[in-house]
Amino acid sequence: MSAQRVLGGIRDVVTTYVLATDHKTVGLQFLFSSLIWFFVGGTLAWATQQTPILIYFVAIPALSGALGSYLIPLMIGADDLAYPTLSLVSHWLLWPAFLLVAAGMLVPQAMMPYAVMSHSTVLHDVAVPGESWIRLQSILGEWSVGEATQWLWCVGLICAGLAWLMVSVNFITTIAQCRAPGMFLFRMPLTVWGLFSAAILQLFTWPVLVVGAAMQLVDALLGTSFYWADSYFSNSAARHAESGQPLHWQELNELLAYPMLGIIFLPALGMISDVIATFSRRSLFGYRALVLLSWSIASLGVLVVVQRVVVWGESRIGEFSLGIAIGAMLVAGGVHVFHWLATLWGGRIEFRTPMLFALGFISLFTLGGLAAVWGILTTPNVGMQTAYSQGVYGMASLAGVMAMAFFAGIYFWFPKMFGRQMSEFWGKVHFALTFVFLQGAFVPTHLLGGGSLPRGYVDSYRYELSTQILPLNRVIAICVLATMASQLIFILNFLCSVFWGQRVGRNPWNSNTLEWAAPSPPGRGNFDFQPWVYRGAYQYGNPAHPRDFQPQTEPPGGRLASGQGGLETVAHSEAPEVMG
């Protein structure tokens, strides 16, 4: 009997927490998995490559996977995601992807498969063999070294691409078909808009990665010649005609670069907008404009892809038009900053932990944008692409900005997830250490780039010029390690608050969006009443209203039921039109 109870308990745990299809459980699975991948994969990335781990297993799972899966149904008034089983499969498909990629990083000669992610100049890397971290011998015919590593990476990236394709299809269908009555498109919060536009961008981006990695895998296993360059340096025209070109993989990678930034940034921009509106106690400035800007960033990302593949290097006019398109993306991001500043201006700002991380996001986002300006200027572009300061653009825009948006979102929606609140004191300590050490890591990189330190070399300090600026690189290394160590404060605060944090009600932040009308934490089906939406998400500070916020579920002239978050009485004539 006791054995049956044990087996029954194990079965209940597996069905409730491991194989559950509820979007909230899947979102928490993404959350805890991304934290594990951050620390385990981050350690591996520190010794080898960091970009694949950062993008595929930390940034996108944390923002789109965890927060997106958890929040989208709550914010649009749905019971669950459109395809619950698909969301479960998408999460567990990422685990074999991570294990394969991590195994590839542990195999001897694991630096070779960085070609899977590289879109740098092939001839530069071949001309200086052993000089650069970014080597492409694996697709230049030298499969005898690092062959198993390349296979592991290709299969891992295929699994990751398929998982995110499932997520994007699920998000798009849910937002298009499962909104609550009255939740029209221009009543959706910007978090949903950001996830929506990022999902559409993923739908066009991930097939490129999946097919490209599959072609590279087929080259290795079956001897095809999609990228195989066994005759790359051969004088035989016949053999050269039969072989592939490594540059084809470079061109496919160009299809991922700017859309990948949009996939990460668009959800972050929406989440930061929600946090700023809530804690400035003012209506968000230019809501419709921000929605259109989100879609413009997604559209420009696709346009930049086409321009970069078709016209880059063909003519000065083509390069100039490409710079204009990238500059337009930066302008769209910069306009977000001005909208946020306009919202903050004159508001009654509450400097809670989520708001501090949102302000830190604005700072790092602006820094990364300014650094990116050098990359779009035609004249210094070639030299700047190999300068160390280009790392500021990548790292400040990816690592720093992603971290600030993720922490702002976690501190903000933690009460909804667990019905408890994280410690404000330790949250502010966590913000202070993270922000200071991130700036200590990124700002000196500008100085190293100004000192003509090249990037991508195994040992730049063999050159006499570089040895003079070695102390700055040590400062960067110390600050990066201190940043990672500071996250232990977040982990302890998070885990302790899950069990012993102060209990809160449905709406501890006095926010307007629909998820705060559900119980904290929400049960199966999310809402204990039928949500009806009467207004937009950002109506704060109305002088004619007794409070400085108006929830989306509050009827005109009515009031919310006490302690329920639902409607006390709703006349039939007051109910919003049900969407078809």
Side-chain angles (χ1 to χ4, degrees):
M1 187 67 177
S2 59
Q4 291 180 351
R5 288 182 178 179
V6 171
L7 291 176
I10 295 175
R11 184 173 59 252
D12 292 341
V13 170
V14 170
T15 55
T16 303
Y17 299 104
V18 179
L19 300 179
T21 58
D22 183 69
H23 75 98
K24 298 180 291 296
T25 304
V26 174
L28 293 177
Q29 289 173 349
F30 271 113
L31 175 60
F32 288 111
S33 296
S34 64
L35 293 175
I36 295 173
W37 295 332
F38 171 75
F39 284 100
V40 177
T43 303
L44 294 174
W46 180 259
T48 55
Q49 309 98 313
Q50 60 188 355
T51 306
I53 296 293
L54 175 66
I55 293 176
Y56 299 133
F57 302 107
V58 178
I60 301 178
L63 295 176
S64 293
L67 294 176
S69 297
Y70 198 100
L71 293 175
I72 284 178
L74 286 166
M75 299 186 91
I76 65 174
D79 295 337
D80 206 331
L81 289 169
Y83 306 113
T85 303
L86 197 64
S87 63
L88 172 68
V89 174
S90 64
H91 167 259
W92 289 113
L93 190 59
L94 281 176
W95 267 104
F98 173 77
L99 293 176
L100 288 167
V101 171
M105 297 170 73
L106 295 175
V107 171
Q109 300 295 333
M111 285 309 253
M112 290 289 185
Y114 199 88
V116 176
M117 286 300 300
S118 172
H119 52 270
S120 61
T121 304
V122 176
L123 293 181
H124 165 74
D125 296 316
V126 175
V128 194
E131 191 79 7
S132 173
W133 286 86
I134 305 173
R135 303 178 185 176
L136 295 172
Q137 289 95 327
S138 299
I139 56 175
L140 289 176
E142 299 183 15
W143 284 94
S144 59
V145 181
E147 183 176 356
T149 303
Q150 194 78 2
W151 295 352
L152 291 171
W153 273 69
C154 288
V155 177
L157 292 182
I158 290 171
C159 291
L162 292 175
W164 292 119
L165 273 174
M166 296 178 189
V167 171
S168 63
V169 169
N170 214 350
F171 284 2
I172 293 169
T173 307
T174 302
I175 296 172
Q177 298 293 331
C178 303
R179 302 193 304 275
M183 180 58 77
F184 305 119
L185 288 176
F186 280 101
R187 287 181 176 176
M188 295 194 309
L190 283 172
T191 295
V192 178
W193 275 112
L195 291 164
F196 190 27
S197 54
I200 292 179
L201 200 54
Q202 290 186 66
L203 200 61
F204 289 95
T205 302
W206 290 115
V208 178
L209 177 68
V210 172
V211 174
M215 292 163 62
Q216 195 169 153
L217 186 63
V218 171
D219 272 2
L221 297 178
L222 303 180
T224 57
S225 56
F226 293 110
Y227 311 114
W228 189 280
D230 194 28
S231 58
Y232 192 72
F233 298 105
S234 173
N235 292 326
S236 171
R239 289 189 62 197
H240 185 74
E242 296 174 356
S243 69
Q245 295 288 344
L247 285 173
H248 295 164
W249 176 249
Q250 176 183 349
E251 293 173 353
L252 286 177
N253 266 277
E254 300 298 347
L255 295 173
L256 300 176
Y258 290 98
M260 199 62 66
L261 293 178
I263 291 170
I264 297 173
F265 284 155
L266 287 170
L269 295 175
M271 294 172 189
I272 294 301
S273 298
D274 282 353
V275 172
I276 287 177
T278 299
F279 292 104
S280 64
R281 314 311 298 170
R282 285 196 63 190
S283 297
L284 189 66
F285 181 82
Y287 164 76
R288 288 177 178 262
L290 290 176
V291 171
L292 296 178
L293 284 171
S294 297
W295 283 102
S296 69
I297 292 175
S299 303
L300 286 168
V302 177
L303 177 61
V304 167
V305 166
V306 176
Q307 285 184 296
R308 194 173 183 94
V309 171
V310 175
V311 305
W312 182 255
E314 296 294 333
S315 66
R316 286 295 180 183
I317 296 178
E319 295 179 4
F320 180 75
S321 64
L322 176 63
I324 292 297
I326 301 174
M329 293 180 65
L330 295 177
V331 169
V335 173
H336 274 80
V337 175
F338 286 109
H339 278 254
W340 294 331
L341 295 178
T343 303
L344 292 168
W345 185 265
R348 295 184 293 105
I349 303 175
E350 300 176 2
F351 291 100
R352 308 295 290 271
T353 301
M355 186 63 163
L356 293 176
F357 277 102
L359 297 176
F361 175 94
I362 295 176
S363 173
L364 290 176
F365 187 70
T366 304
L367 173 64
L370 292 175
V373 172
W374 289 99
I376 67 172
L377 295 177
T378 304
T379 303
N381 184 60
V382 176
M384 291 302 299
Q385 288 298 322
T386 58
Y388 204 78
S389 57
Q390 277 296 100
V392 176
Y393 171 55
M395 293 304 296
S397 298
L398 286 178
V401 170
M402 181 275 296
M404 288 292 165
F406 171 70
F407 290 131
I410 289 297
Y411 280 101
F412 185 60
W413 281 292
F414 184 92
K416 181 56 57 181
M417 295 178 177
F418 300 101
R420 298 177 182 270
Q421 198 155 9
M422 297 182 70
S423 169
E424 273 291 309
F425 172 78
W426 289 111
K428 291 177 179 177
V429 171
H430 172 224
F431 164 76
L433 294 177
T434 301
F435 184 78
V436 170
F437 288 132
L438 280 176
Q439 295 287 13
F442 297 145
V443 173
T445 315
H446 281 293
L447 304 177
L448 291 176
S452 300
L453 180 68
R455 64 172 180 154
Y457 288 175
V458 176
D459 184 10
S460 300
Y461 296 105
R462 72 176 68 176
Y463 307 108
E464 183 178 355
L465 177 64
S466 301
T467 58
Q468 301 175 8
I469 51 179
L470 177 60
L472 276 179
N473 213 16
R474 290 174 176 167
V475 170
I476 294 174
I478 292 172
C479 287
V480 170
L481 293 175
T483 301
M484 297 181 66
S486 301
Q487 307 319 306
L488 295 176
I489 297 175
F490 167 76
I491 294 297
L492 293 175
N493 189 8
F494 183 94
L495 295 177
C496 291
S497 299
V498 168
F499 299 102
W500 302 291
Q502 180 183 356
R503 292 188 178 275
V504 295
R506 296 175 184 246
N507 193 0
W509 306 124
N510 290 332
S511 185
N512 287 344
T513 47
L514 193 56
E515 75 273 17
W516 299 106
S520 298
R524 188 76 179 182
N526 295 335
F527 296 91
D528 51 4
F529 66 99
Q530 172 58 54
W532 296 79
V533 179
Y534 294 90
R535 60 183 55 82
Y538 303 106
Q539 295 191 17
Y540 293 96
N542 183 359
H545 196 270
R547 298 170 301 182
D548 66 348
F549 69 104
Q550 288 182 275
Q552 290 186 286
T553 55
E554 181 178 333
R559 62 189 181 90
L560 298 175
S562 177
Q564 296 297 319
L567 305 180
E568 189 173 37
T569 56
V570 181
H572 179 72
S573 60
E574 295 176 336
E577 179 184 356
V578 179
M579 295 182 302

